[in-house]
Amino acid sequence: MPDSTDAIRVAVVGATGYAGAELVRYLARHPKVRIVAVTSEQSAGKRLAEVLPATRGKLDLELEAFDPKAVAARCDLAFTALPHGASTVGVAALVESGCRVVDIGSEFRLRDPAEHERVYGTHAAPHLLEQAVYGLTEYSRDALPDARLIANPGCYPTSALLALLPLVERGLVESQGIVIDAKSGVTGAGRTVAAEYLFAEVDDNLKAYKIGKHRHAPEIEQQLRPSLGEGCAVTFVPHLLPIRRGILSTIYVRPRVGVDMDTFADAFRERYANERFIVLTANRPPEIRDVVGTNDCAIGWTLDEKSRHAVLVSVIDNLGKGAAGQAIQNMNAMMGWLETEGLDHLAVVP
Amino acid sequence: MPDSTDAIRVAVVGATGYAGAELVRYLARHPKVRIVAVTSEQSAGKRLAEVLPATRGKLDLELEAFDPKAVAARCDLAFTALPHGASTVGVAALVESGCRVVDIGSEFRLRDPAEHERVYGTHAAPHLLEQAVYGLTEYSRDALPDARLIANPGCYPTSALLALLPLVERGLVESQGIVIDAKSGVTGAGRTVAAEYLFAEVDDNLKAYKIGKHRHAPEIEQQLRPSLGEGCAVTFVPHLLPIRRGILSTIYVRPRVGVDMDTFADAFRERYANERFIVLTANRPPEIRDVVGTNDCAIGWTLDEKSRHAVLVSVIDNLGKGAAGQAIQNMNAMMGWLETEGLDHLAVVP
Amino acid sequence: MPDSTDAIRVAVVGATGYAGAELVRYLARHPKVRIVAVTSEQSAGKRLAEVLPATRGKLDLELEAFDPKAVAARCDLAFTALPHGASTVGVAALVESGCRVVDIGSEFRLRDPAEHERVYGTHAAPHLLEQAVYGLTEYSRDALPDARLIANPGCYPTSALLALLPLVERGLVESQGIVIDAKSGVTGAGRTVAAEYLFAEVDDNLKAYKIGKHRHAPEIEQQLRPSLGEGCAVTFVPHLLPIRRGILSTIYVRPRVGVDMDTFADAFRERYANERFIVLTANRPPEIRDVVGTNDCAIGWTLDEKSRHAVLVSVIDNLGKGAAGQAIQNMNAMMGWLETEGLDHLAVVP
Amino acid sequence: MPDSTDAIRVAVVGATGYAGAELVRYLARHPKVRIVAVTSEQSAGKRLAEVLPATRGKLDLELEAFDPKAVAARCDLAFTALPHGASTVGVAALVESGCRVVDIGSEFRLRDPAEHERVYGTHAAPHLLEQAVYGLTEYSRDALPDARLIANPGCYPTSALLALLPLVERGLVESQGIVIDAKSGVTGAGRTVAAEYLFAEVDDNLKAYKIGKHRHAPEIEQQLRPSLGEGCAVTFVPHLLPIRRGILSTIYVRPRVGVDMDTFADAFRERYANERFIVLTANRPPEIRDVVGTNDCAIGWTLDEKSRHAVLVSVIDNLGKGAAGQAIQNMNAMMGWLETEGLDHLAVVP
């Protein structure tokens, strides 16, 4: 636990959702921060441990309703993990009050206000879109120290982009026909109380959903566009897995003429040579369990010799590198700390 | 239960594996058959109910070691559900003794002996390959009444082919670039006692395996080749789901110019107009649970407007339409009975 | 499917809850009934197959709002499977309109109005309590043919009573100190949309709940009282399992002096000699999976030699013998049919 | 990571089993130890990361076959986590070579050689039984600094004893009739490759096993005997849950006359006032998920007013406080360190 004189003071806004609880889990053991505020609209006034029993005896805090000014007055940095639509105004108020923000929501990810409006509807603070830094840490690192507002990437985009970017940046794959078949655990939907997320509906089942319509597709395309060009369009199909955490994306690409798996290997190894959270498994595809409970992304690649498709497999914990973990990595980068501070856990296996 | 004078006498060879047990479950309530022999090498001499407690008080049979002549002497038809490599000689002996056979194994599926050898190794009864009928019932119906040996299709091929064939037969999709991203429950591997199938390894996990190397890819290509041509090559990636039963295949195809989803719908509806086990769900993709415990295959289709990929979603119970169910449907067709005899169950939901 | 001239006409009131859907699954294949009405408040106006995809192509019915008179006018018998508190008035109206009713709810189980009020609150139709027959079929059979209203027992009581009654009726166990440690799958709570039943909350978890306060304890005691006397009090602790279906009750009793496991065996075998849904496994305790998807109750018993506790293990499918299955068995008995009509399924394993 | 000059050097003998892997997970981040040897008979010669992918990029070690002298030469302390029967001779050799040992196996837990022989068979190093310290840390603390060999308690006994001991030591409950109904995740059986632990056998199932015969019952009784007397006999029934980790024990006791739940509360609070790994939840029973991934034991208690049984609910992670966690806590106590060193994780929820 940090010495109070050194540590920065942080807030977790929306601490009782799944991403919020994971932030609490990581931050409680982060050597350079002190959690001074945790908010929850539904449970304001309760002790944190009543709602998150895992903190019993370990973290003694009272949940409060989210008041941006009150939070900004006591905190150097706030993590905002609110349901979509609930956070824009609050985030803006935090930023204006001088509190740095890492936003785990989806409202500051699309840079183009028109695109945002098309995908999510009207934006309540469009002036902030320009200054928000898209926090895929491995690709945003230079901009993070000066950021006031970091838009933490979506879980599916994080999984897909970390596998695709080293290849598309070097022009190693055809720009057309990229297929991302992604499978996610249920916490990707947050703590949404809806019939479709009941145990009896999810267990021993699998379904595809929002084929061609998921909001994360435009986010992926936004990040691929600089390399693939304006017309860039990926086919993205998410599936709901009967597991709690983890995303596995199976990605189908066409290597350009003359490109083989050695070229892929070079691209991945060079791009990620110094990255502590990227694990390259080459032709042994990673499994979800390899990364659950961590901030890691593991990536493998294999050529189907006969059909000439290359198959990338990328796994993350949607609450780790796909949410809370990457948020903390972004904070670490923003503060100039080692990016691994507070994030050096091993996966809990089995 | 059938009257003994009307019913044919059947054997389940390999009755204690998962497909064998599912055959027993269906056959025990089939109005036109009587199970007279159940075999198990490991449990020979035990009562069936000791090994399959679900049959307690419902089916009183003794497990015996598999002796083809003894089985042929007492049975009109045998279902063989043995691990790969264990069944060829026994199946040949059954056929030669005049017992009709529906083989759930993989040894009679590839018609070309050279292809079989390349994929599975030397075949122990190559002379039978020619007379074996590939039993994808909806496409093999005419040949079934005269068959002596039916090769029941693989589970993944059943799932993929029922979705693809109506489109490729009519030339509605590009022959190149077909991607089959398939996800299967663990019973697809049979009752294999190996570390990778332990609960603690499978639960809350997902992995891709045998990318570009699975033995079901050549089987799929064999059935697509008449429509797609000699060079036909699909990209097939199977995944192991943390569920017991069910396969969901997400299939990516490129509609030919001028083909839209209405054309797809017409193709599916016309091809499957009179099929009792094919459920068409159009643009609402089916879920695995819709078919668990049944012989159904449910198929949906959706266009990703921007990327122009069409996405097919096909679900079966790998032990139903992917194994025991289709085997019984094949028997029904072979005997000239209603194909739904003994197979009219509704899915057990939830 | 029944010939319309022979079959009785039945309604499933509350057809889209879990017990209701299971009634539909069984009744759709029952040879002596025809489902003519299915009701759902939330989905009135929709086709049944939209809400229960497993019925697609198999049952073509429109969901309607529950109107007791309209149902009574078209049906000979109604199964009512409504959330607690929603059914009393409707059930009364059905009965008064001459429609026989099997009620799967909890409102007619406690015979004593004062006890009902203490446990559940004010009863809306107390005059019916007296005429309702408690439908633990194996113990109520004689009263069923004349019943107009059958109160289907709770799932936990069914599991516990079928194991305890043969022993307590013969006075083989001490009346004090009976412990029922019961574990249930989540469908025991119905399709309740609440955070505690979300997949992410239930998966890989286990919890005890309502210790000493569950409403099923008085129901169990009501049925034991004739044998154990007025002061009868069992210790009943339910647990929520991460499974969809099934109850396993581990029951601890003290054999009276001179009673051994042979005495137990005799009691069980004599009491259940002709019962088709009771499976006795003696000292090999049954597992939940042995009965999932069926109307069976399997019971085992073992003596802990050192501590002198006898341990009973009883398993049922909470949606089968614990709800829909027993309701149909009760209908069969009421109508004078074979009790196994429509209920002769084998468990779906694995 | 520890500075090499300060840290003690430790070995994990049997590093690829589930308890061994959990030791590695904890020890890799323990500030006062350095892992210098990891052994595995089956994988000797491989890199640890090949077998435990979660260590990829985080721990670079080669697995070796277990050679006690070689281990003792390089290590100050060894954790032995071998299958039953495999460790006795090796442990003895380690101890004789001057290496301190924390043994996670079952061979040094029963102090009485005759009792050991009755339960487990002949002991290969009976002279060590006397000097082994039974390491239920909260009750063994004084003996640990001088111990050369610590017998880490069984997982079920840990869960049961931590709940029972505060009550029996004070004589608050009747000594007769104690019932321990325990439910464990599958990792309690280690990485045993057997049909009964396959996913398809465990998922959506529950079973009781070894009723009155489990080897952990004599271990529990050994620890209760000083308080309850020679004739002490508990009724212990374990169940196999479809979860990976965690034990929940529901324990039924009879409070002595005059004892109420306040007396219980006082006993627990006083006994565990300074314990960092004991969480008391009073009348809100803890759930398994509250402790998964940690070394915590959470305990609740409730009186069933009518039956006068008190119900204790105790949860641990069988790989945490039930194995690797407690082993490290024991090492910490042995070395005179803070017991929480390396063990201050929060539960991974959900």
Side-chain angles (χ1 to χ4, degrees), chain B residues 48-74:
Chain B
L48 180 63
E50 283 181 76
V51 187
L52 299 183
T55 65
R56 274 192 291 230
K58 290 169 178 163
L59 209 57
D60 187 26
L61 289 165
E62 181 176 312
L63 289 159
E64 51 191 275
F66 175 35
D67 174 343
K69 285 191 183 159
V71 166
R74 287 144 59 206

PDB file of all heavy atoms in Angstrom, chain B residues 48-74:
ATOM      1  N   LEU B  48     -26.164 -52.627 -18.500  1.00  0.00           N
ATOM      2  CA  LEU B  48     -26.108 -51.295 -19.114  1.00  0.00           C
ATOM      3  C   LEU B  48     -26.362 -50.193 -18.085  1.00  0.00           C
ATOM      4  O   LEU B  48     -25.704 -49.143 -18.096  1.00  0.00           O
ATOM      5  CB  LEU B  48     -27.150 -51.231 -20.241  1.00  0.00           C
ATOM      6  CG  LEU B  48     -27.236 -49.920 -21.008  1.00  0.00           C
ATOM      7  CD1 LEU B  48     -25.919 -49.636 -21.743  1.00  0.00           C
ATOM      8  CD2 LEU B  48     -28.390 -49.942 -22.004  1.00  0.00           C
ATOM      9  N   ALA B  49     -27.308 -50.439 -17.164  1.00  0.00           N
ATOM     10  CA  ALA B  49     -27.692 -49.392 -16.215  1.00  0.00           C
ATOM     11  C   ALA B  49     -26.586 -49.052 -15.226  1.00  0.00           C
ATOM     12  O   ALA B  49     -26.592 -47.978 -14.632  1.00  0.00           O
ATOM     13  CB  ALA B  49     -28.951 -49.802 -15.454  1.00  0.00           C
ATOM     14  N   GLU B  50     -25.622 -49.952 -15.070  1.00  0.00           N
ATOM     15  CA  GLU B  50     -24.491 -49.609 -14.198  1.00  0.00           C
ATOM     16  C   GLU B  50     -23.632 -48.520 -14.828  1.00  0.00           C
ATOM     17  O   GLU B  50     -23.052 -47.685 -14.146  1.00  0.00           O
ATOM     18  CB  GLU B  50     -23.598 -50.836 -13.981  1.00  0.00           C
ATOM     19  CG  GLU B  50     -24.115 -51.848 -13.012  1.00  0.00           C
ATOM     20  CD  GLU B  50     -23.113 -52.985 -12.900  1.00  0.00           C
ATOM     21  OE1 GLU B  50     -22.070 -52.810 -12.238  1.00  0.00           O
ATOM     22  OE2 GLU B  50     -23.379 -54.050 -13.514  1.00  0.00           O
ATOM     23  N   VAL B  51     -23.530 -48.566 -16.138  1.00  0.00           N
ATOM     24  CA  VAL B  51     -22.655 -47.623 -16.845  1.00  0.00           C
ATOM     25  C   VAL B  51     -23.433 -46.398 -17.314  1.00  0.00           C
ATOM     26  O   VAL B  51     -22.901 -45.290 -17.351  1.00  0.00           O
ATOM     27  CB  VAL B  51     -21.978 -48.336 -18.039  1.00  0.00           C
ATOM     28  CG1 VAL B  51     -20.951 -47.439 -18.677  1.00  0.00           C
ATOM     29  CG2 VAL B  51     -21.334 -49.641 -17.575  1.00  0.00           C
ATOM     30  N   LEU B  52     -24.677 -46.606 -17.684  1.00  0.00           N
ATOM     31  CA  LEU B  52     -25.543 -45.489 -18.080  1.00  0.00           C
ATOM     32  C   LEU B  52     -26.717 -45.421 -17.103  1.00  0.00           C
ATOM     33  O   LEU B  52     -27.789 -45.964 -17.360  1.00  0.00           O
ATOM     34  CB  LEU B  52     -26.073 -45.684 -19.506  1.00  0.00           C
ATOM     35  CG  LEU B  52     -25.075 -45.774 -20.650  1.00  0.00           C
ATOM     36  CD1 LEU B  52     -25.827 -45.900 -21.987  1.00  0.00           C
ATOM     37  CD2 LEU B  52     -24.152 -44.571 -20.701  1.00  0.00           C
ATOM     38  N   PRO B  53     -26.524 -44.749 -15.962  1.00  0.00           N
ATOM     39  CA  PRO B  53     -27.573 -44.747 -14.943  1.00  0.00           C
ATOM     40  C   PRO B  53     -28.911 -44.223 -15.455  1.00  0.00           C
ATOM     41  O   PRO B  53     -29.957 -44.566 -14.891  1.00  0.00           O
ATOM     42  CB  PRO B  53     -27.002 -43.826 -13.850  1.00  0.00           C
ATOM     43  CG  PRO B  53     -25.529 -43.862 -14.048  1.00  0.00           C
ATOM     44  CD  PRO B  53     -25.308 -44.037 -15.525  1.00  0.00           C
ATOM     45  N   ALA B  54     -28.881 -43.427 -16.524  1.00  0.00           N
ATOM     46  CA  ALA B  54     -30.149 -42.899 -17.040  1.00  0.00           C
ATOM     47  C   ALA B  54     -31.055 -43.989 -17.583  1.00  0.00           C
ATOM     48  O   ALA B  54     -32.237 -43.756 -17.793  1.00  0.00           O
ATOM     49  CB  ALA B  54     -29.877 -41.855 -18.123  1.00  0.00           C
ATOM     50  N   THR B  55     -30.511 -45.188 -17.794  1.00  0.00           N
ATOM     51  CA  THR B  55     -31.361 -46.279 -18.295  1.00  0.00           C
ATOM     52  C   THR B  55     -31.925 -47.151 -17.168  1.00  0.00           C
ATOM     53  O   THR B  55     -32.676 -48.080 -17.435  1.00  0.00           O
ATOM     54  CB  THR B  55     -30.574 -47.192 -19.257  1.00  0.00           C
ATOM     55  OG1 THR B  55     -29.515 -47.852 -18.530  1.00  0.00           O
ATOM     56  CG2 THR B  55     -29.959 -46.412 -20.400  1.00  0.00           C
ATOM     57  N   ARG B  56     -31.564 -46.829 -15.929  1.00  0.00           N
ATOM     58  CA  ARG B  56     -32.037 -47.622 -14.782  1.00  0.00           C
ATOM     59  C   ARG B  56     -33.552 -47.750 -14.794  1.00  0.00           C
ATOM     60  O   ARG B  56     -34.259 -46.743 -14.845  1.00  0.00           O
ATOM     61  CB  ARG B  56     -31.596 -46.967 -13.464  1.00  0.00           C
ATOM     62  CG  ARG B  56     -30.207 -47.377 -13.030  1.00  0.00           C
ATOM     63  CD  ARG B  56     -29.902 -46.967 -11.599  1.00  0.00           C
ATOM     64  NE  ARG B  56     -29.786 -45.513 -11.470  1.00  0.00           N
ATOM     65  CZ  ARG B  56     -28.763 -44.878 -10.877  1.00  0.00           C
ATOM     66  NH1 ARG B  56     -27.749 -45.553 -10.371  1.00  0.00           N
ATOM     67  NH2 ARG B  56     -28.750 -43.567 -10.788  1.00  0.00           N
ATOM     68  N   GLY B  57     -34.020 -48.953 -14.741  1.00  0.00           N
ATOM     69  CA  GLY B  57     -35.455 -49.192 -14.700  1.00  0.00           C
ATOM     70  C   GLY B  57     -36.136 -49.020 -16.040  1.00  0.00           C
ATOM     71  O   GLY B  57     -37.359 -49.125 -16.136  1.00  0.00           O
ATOM     72  N   LYS B  58     -35.360 -48.713 -17.073  1.00  0.00           N
ATOM     73  CA  LYS B  58     -35.978 -48.425 -18.363  1.00  0.00           C
ATOM     74  C   LYS B  58     -35.499 -49.332 -19.476  1.00  0.00           C
ATOM     75  O   LYS B  58     -36.174 -49.484 -20.492  1.00  0.00           O
ATOM     76  CB  LYS B  58     -35.707 -46.967 -18.731  1.00  0.00           C
ATOM     77  CG  LYS B  58     -36.498 -46.049 -17.828  1.00  0.00           C
ATOM     78  CD  LYS B  58     -36.097 -44.613 -17.938  1.00  0.00           C
ATOM     79  CE  LYS B  58     -36.991 -43.782 -17.021  1.00  0.00           C
ATOM     80  NZ  LYS B  58     -36.457 -42.456 -16.753  1.00  0.00           N
ATOM     81  N   LEU B  59     -34.320 -49.898 -19.309  1.00  0.00           N
ATOM     82  CA  LEU B  59     -33.742 -50.711 -20.370  1.00  0.00           C
ATOM     83  C   LEU B  59     -32.862 -51.728 -19.669  1.00  0.00           C
ATOM     84  O   LEU B  59     -31.904 -51.362 -18.994  1.00  0.00           O
ATOM     85  CB  LEU B  59     -32.897 -49.810 -21.280  1.00  0.00           C
ATOM     86  CG  LEU B  59     -32.745 -50.185 -22.746  1.00  0.00           C
ATOM     87  CD1 LEU B  59     -34.086 -50.308 -23.449  1.00  0.00           C
ATOM     88  CD2 LEU B  59     -31.902 -49.131 -23.444  1.00  0.00           C
ATOM     89  N   ASP B  60     -33.204 -52.985 -19.815  1.00  0.00           N
ATOM     90  CA  ASP B  60     -32.493 -54.016 -19.068  1.00  0.00           C
ATOM     91  C   ASP B  60     -31.676 -54.862 -20.040  1.00  0.00           C
ATOM     92  O   ASP B  60     -32.194 -55.793 -20.666  1.00  0.00           O
ATOM     93  CB  ASP B  60     -33.503 -54.885 -18.307  1.00  0.00           C
ATOM     94  CG  ASP B  60     -32.786 -55.848 -17.384  1.00  0.00           C
ATOM     95  OD1 ASP B  60     -31.649 -55.541 -16.970  1.00  0.00           O
ATOM     96  OD2 ASP B  60     -33.349 -56.919 -17.100  1.00  0.00           O
ATOM     97  N   LEU B  61     -30.417 -54.509 -20.204  1.00  0.00           N
ATOM     98  CA  LEU B  61     -29.555 -55.184 -21.170  1.00  0.00           C
ATOM     99  C   LEU B  61     -28.189 -55.394 -20.548  1.00  0.00           C
ATOM    100  O   LEU B  61     -27.765 -54.623 -19.678  1.00  0.00           O
ATOM    101  CB  LEU B  61     -29.384 -54.327 -22.431  1.00  0.00           C
ATOM    102  CG  LEU B  61     -30.607 -54.189 -23.354  1.00  0.00           C
ATOM    103  CD1 LEU B  61     -30.410 -53.052 -24.322  1.00  0.00           C
ATOM    104  CD2 LEU B  61     -30.831 -55.502 -24.114  1.00  0.00           C
ATOM    105  N   GLU B  62     -27.492 -56.422 -21.049  1.00  0.00           N
ATOM    106  CA  GLU B  62     -26.131 -56.647 -20.583  1.00  0.00           C
ATOM    107  C   GLU B  62     -25.154 -56.225 -21.669  1.00  0.00           C
ATOM    108  O   GLU B  62     -25.320 -56.568 -22.839  1.00  0.00           O
ATOM    109  CB  GLU B  62     -25.917 -58.129 -20.259  1.00  0.00           C
ATOM    110  CG  GLU B  62     -24.522 -58.405 -19.736  1.00  0.00           C
ATOM    111  CD  GLU B  62     -24.327 -59.858 -19.318  1.00  0.00           C
ATOM    112  OE1 GLU B  62     -25.197 -60.382 -18.600  1.00  0.00           O
ATOM    113  OE2 GLU B  62     -23.320 -60.457 -19.734  1.00  0.00           O
ATOM    114  N   LEU B  63     -24.151 -55.502 -21.263  1.00  0.00           N
ATOM    115  CA  LEU B  63     -23.114 -55.102 -22.209  1.00  0.00           C
ATOM    116  C   LEU B  63     -22.273 -56.315 -22.576  1.00  0.00           C
ATOM    117  O   LEU B  63     -21.940 -57.141 -21.731  1.00  0.00           O
ATOM    118  CB  LEU B  63     -22.237 -54.013 -21.583  1.00  0.00           C
ATOM    119  CG  LEU B  63     -22.936 -52.653 -21.448  1.00  0.00           C
ATOM    120  CD1 LEU B  63     -22.247 -51.795 -20.402  1.00  0.00           C
ATOM    121  CD2 LEU B  63     -22.957 -51.939 -22.795  1.00  0.00           C
ATOM    122  N   GLU B  64     -21.907 -56.396 -23.849  1.00  0.00           N
ATOM    123  CA  GLU B  64     -21.083 -57.519 -24.299  1.00  0.00           C
ATOM    124  C   GLU B  64     -19.907 -56.973 -25.100  1.00  0.00           C
ATOM    125  O   GLU B  64     -19.922 -55.833 -25.575  1.00  0.00           O
ATOM    126  CB  GLU B  64     -21.913 -58.462 -25.176  1.00  0.00           C
ATOM    127  CG  GLU B  64     -22.659 -57.759 -26.310  1.00  0.00           C
ATOM    128  CD  GLU B  64     -23.688 -58.666 -26.992  1.00  0.00           C
ATOM    129  OE1 GLU B  64     -23.283 -59.411 -27.898  1.00  0.00           O
ATOM    130  OE2 GLU B  64     -24.874 -58.613 -26.612  1.00  0.00           O
ATOM    131  N   ALA B  65     -18.861 -57.767 -25.190  1.00  0.00           N
ATOM    132  CA  ALA B  65     -17.752 -57.399 -26.078  1.00  0.00           C
ATOM    133  C   ALA B  65     -18.251 -57.512 -27.517  1.00  0.00           C
ATOM    134  O   ALA B  65     -19.152 -58.302 -27.816  1.00  0.00           O
ATOM    135  CB  ALA B  65     -16.562 -58.319 -25.839  1.00  0.00           C
ATOM    136  N   PHE B  66     -17.689 -56.713 -28.400  1.00  0.00           N
ATOM    137  CA  PHE B  66     -18.172 -56.662 -29.776  1.00  0.00           C
ATOM    138  C   PHE B  66     -17.656 -57.866 -30.567  1.00  0.00           C
ATOM    139  O   PHE B  66     -16.462 -57.979 -30.831  1.00  0.00           O
ATOM    140  CB  PHE B  66     -17.724 -55.350 -30.433  1.00  0.00           C
ATOM    141  CG  PHE B  66     -18.072 -55.240 -31.893  1.00  0.00           C
ATOM    142  CD1 PHE B  66     -19.252 -55.776 -32.411  1.00  0.00           C
ATOM    143  CD2 PHE B  66     -17.213 -54.567 -32.763  1.00  0.00           C
ATOM    144  CE1 PHE B  66     -19.567 -55.661 -33.764  1.00  0.00           C
ATOM    145  CE2 PHE B  66     -17.518 -54.452 -34.114  1.00  0.00           C
ATOM    146  CZ  PHE B  66     -18.697 -55.002 -34.609  1.00  0.00           C
ATOM    147  N   ASP B  67     -18.585 -58.731 -30.950  1.00  0.00           N
ATOM    148  CA  ASP B  67     -18.264 -59.864 -31.814  1.00  0.00           C
ATOM    149  C   ASP B  67     -19.154 -59.727 -33.048  1.00  0.00           C
ATOM    150  O   ASP B  67     -20.364 -59.964 -32.987  1.00  0.00           O
ATOM    151  CB  ASP B  67     -18.580 -61.161 -31.056  1.00  0.00           C
ATOM    152  CG  ASP B  67     -18.417 -62.396 -31.939  1.00  0.00           C
ATOM    153  OD1 ASP B  67     -18.390 -62.253 -33.189  1.00  0.00           O
ATOM    154  OD2 ASP B  67     -18.341 -63.494 -31.375  1.00  0.00           O
ATOM    155  N   PRO B  68     -18.576 -59.302 -34.170  1.00  0.00           N
ATOM    156  CA  PRO B  68     -19.403 -58.975 -35.339  1.00  0.00           C
ATOM    157  C   PRO B  68     -20.347 -60.099 -35.738  1.00  0.00           C
ATOM    158  O   PRO B  68     -21.516 -59.852 -36.036  1.00  0.00           O
ATOM    159  CB  PRO B  68     -18.369 -58.692 -36.438  1.00  0.00           C
ATOM    160  CG  PRO B  68     -17.143 -58.278 -35.710  1.00  0.00           C
ATOM    161  CD  PRO B  68     -17.147 -59.049 -34.425  1.00  0.00           C
ATOM    162  N   LYS B  69     -19.847 -61.340 -35.718  1.00  0.00           N
ATOM    163  CA  LYS B  69     -20.729 -62.425 -36.149  1.00  0.00           C
ATOM    164  C   LYS B  69     -21.901 -62.619 -35.196  1.00  0.00           C
ATOM    165  O   LYS B  69     -23.038 -62.824 -35.604  1.00  0.00           O
ATOM    166  CB  LYS B  69     -19.936 -63.726 -36.268  1.00  0.00           C
ATOM    167  CG  LYS B  69     -19.077 -63.699 -37.533  1.00  0.00           C
ATOM    168  CD  LYS B  69     -18.467 -65.038 -37.853  1.00  0.00           C
ATOM    169  CE  LYS B  69     -17.561 -64.865 -39.088  1.00  0.00           C
ATOM    170  NZ  LYS B  69     -16.566 -65.932 -39.196  1.00  0.00           N
ATOM    171  N   ALA B  70     -21.604 -62.527 -33.904  1.00  0.00           N
ATOM    172  CA  ALA B  70     -22.673 -62.692 -32.919  1.00  0.00           C
ATOM    173  C   ALA B  70     -23.703 -61.577 -33.059  1.00  0.00           C
ATOM    174  O   ALA B  70     -24.914 -61.806 -32.946  1.00  0.00           O
ATOM    175  CB  ALA B  70     -22.080 -62.694 -31.509  1.00  0.00           C
ATOM    176  N   VAL B  71     -23.227 -60.376 -33.312  1.00  0.00           N
ATOM    177  CA  VAL B  71     -24.163 -59.260 -33.493  1.00  0.00           C
ATOM    178  C   VAL B  71     -24.981 -59.462 -34.765  1.00  0.00           C
ATOM    179  O   VAL B  71     -26.212 -59.313 -34.769  1.00  0.00           O
ATOM    180  CB  VAL B  71     -23.400 -57.915 -33.530  1.00  0.00           C
ATOM    181  CG1 VAL B  71     -24.290 -56.788 -34.057  1.00  0.00           C
ATOM    182  CG2 VAL B  71     -22.869 -57.573 -32.138  1.00  0.00           C
ATOM    183  N   ALA B  72     -24.297 -59.824 -35.851  1.00  0.00           N
ATOM    184  CA  ALA B  72     -25.002 -59.984 -37.125  1.00  0.00           C
ATOM    185  C   ALA B  72     -26.051 -61.090 -37.046  1.00  0.00           C
ATOM    186  O   ALA B  72     -27.097 -61.019 -37.695  1.00  0.00           O
ATOM    187  CB  ALA B  72     -24.000 -60.273 -38.245  1.00  0.00           C
ATOM    188  N   ALA B  73     -25.760 -62.109 -36.225  1.00  0.00           N
ATOM    189  CA  ALA B  73     -26.702 -63.222 -36.133  1.00  0.00           C
ATOM    190  C   ALA B  73     -28.014 -62.813 -35.475  1.00  0.00           C
ATOM    191  O   ALA B  73     -29.064 -63.406 -35.735  1.00  0.00           O
ATOM    192  CB  ALA B  73     -26.061 -64.378 -35.350  1.00  0.00           C
ATOM    193  N   ARG B  74     -27.951 -61.791 -34.622  1.00  0.00           N
ATOM    194  CA  ARG B  74     -29.154 -61.426 -33.866  1.00  0.00           C
ATOM    195  C   ARG B  74     -29.801 -60.125 -34.320  1.00  0.00           C
ATOM    196  O   ARG B  74     -30.856 -59.760 -33.830  1.00  0.00           O
ATOM    197  CB  ARG B  74     -28.791 -61.272 -32.382  1.00  0.00           C
ATOM    198  CG  ARG B  74     -28.514 -62.580 -31.666  1.00  0.00           C
ATOM    199  CD  ARG B  74     -27.398 -62.411 -30.648  1.00  0.00           C
ATOM    200  NE  ARG B  74     -27.729 -61.397 -29.656  1.00  0.00           N
ATOM    201  CZ  ARG B  74     -26.810 -60.704 -28.977  1.00  0.00           C
ATOM    202  NH1 ARG B  74     -25.510 -60.885 -29.190  1.00  0.00           N
ATOM    203  NH2 ARG B  74     -27.167 -59.825 -28.101  1.00  0.00           N
TER     204      ARG B  74
END
